[in-house]
Amino acid sequence: MKRSTDALLVIDAQNDFCEGGALAVQGGAGIMPLINRLAERFETVIATQDWHTPDQISFASNHDGATPFTEIEVAYGPQMLWPDHCLQGTHGADFHPDVAAAVQKALAVVRKGYNPAVDSYSGFFENDHRTPTGLAGLLRDRGVTRVFLCGLAYDYCVRFTAEDAVREGFEAVVIEDACRAIAPDTATAAKASFQALGVVEIEAALLIG
């Protein structure tokens, strides 16, 4: 199934998204060894990393009376508010220790969400859907035509990265059992979006046996 023009995108495999972190996704730590095994099978591996400043617009703590997991309207549209997470240079922003092998193999780490005025879910664009991260150009320079996605969280950063991959002209494949979701309703919405856009979903066993 795999081709030389494939790349593996490891999405936000960070401490704050795993058990004990500020924005923990249930089962997050458990997928890290699987991500390492997947990375062994790819020539091109790229990781993304949430890299926020304390004044990030998406932090509920920066809006008087706001609570996490509620939405507000900002200049670029609706924005979910989150607990403070993945602050630059903190343990929470570090990659989970159990995914070290995949990160060490990564050709590049694409940091996102460092502009305090705009949140960033996708590895390709900030949430204004206009400001690029440089990932698309990096992939094209490597001759990549298809990306496989794994990591956290399935219903946010994996979803938006996969959607933007398709919009940028790449084939996108989500390795479903190498991701974990924040909530069932948003996971269902992500799955419907993938079907509508032609994003393929597979199990890791198809790649690693």
Side-chain angles (χ1 to χ4, degrees), residues 74-91:
V74 295
Y76 51 85
Q79 173 64 56
M80 180 69 78
L81 294 180
W82 304 106
D84 293 18
H85 65 278
C86 296
L87 289 162
Q88 295 178 8
T90 65
H91 172 77

Side-chain angles (χ1 to χ4, degrees), residues 7-73:
L8 180 70
L9 303 182
V10 178
I11 307 298
D12 298 2
Q14 295 168 260
N15 287 321
D16 265 347
F17 297 127
C18 295
E19 288 81 351
L23 188 47
V25 181
Q26 187 174 359
I31 63 172
M32 299 303 161
L34 180 56
I35 292 174
N36 285 335
R37 291 178 63 202
L38 288 163
E40 292 171 6
R41 300 300 178 99
F42 286 82
E43 194 176 316
T44 301
V45 178
I46 296 172
T48 68
Q49 186 179 26
D50 252 11
W51 198 245
H52 294 312
T53 55
D55 54 347
Q56 165 59 226
I57 195 170
S58 68
F59 289 172
S61 63
N62 290 322
H63 303 273
D64 287 344
T67 55
F69 310 108
T70 57
E71 266 192 0
I72 62 167
E73 198 71 22

Side-chain angles (χ1 to χ4, degrees), residues 87-151:
L87 289 162
Q88 295 178 8
T90 65
H91 172 77
D94 290 344
F95 290 107
H96 192 278
D98 291 349
V99 80
V103 174
Q104 285 162 7
K105 186 174 182 178
L107 169 72
V109 173
V110 175
R111 286 178 166 167
K112 59 191 181 66
Y114 50 80
N115 176 356
V118 189
D119 198 11
S120 187
Y121 299 151
S122 168
F124 288 94
F125 289 94
E126 293 183 352
N127 283 8
D128 60 5
H129 306 295
R130 289 193 306 271
T131 307
T133 63
L135 176 57
L138 177 60
L139 291 169
R140 291 189 187 107
D141 287 348
R142 292 281 293 184
V144 171
T145 59
R146 183 170 63 168
V147 294
F148 289 74
L149 297 97
C150 58

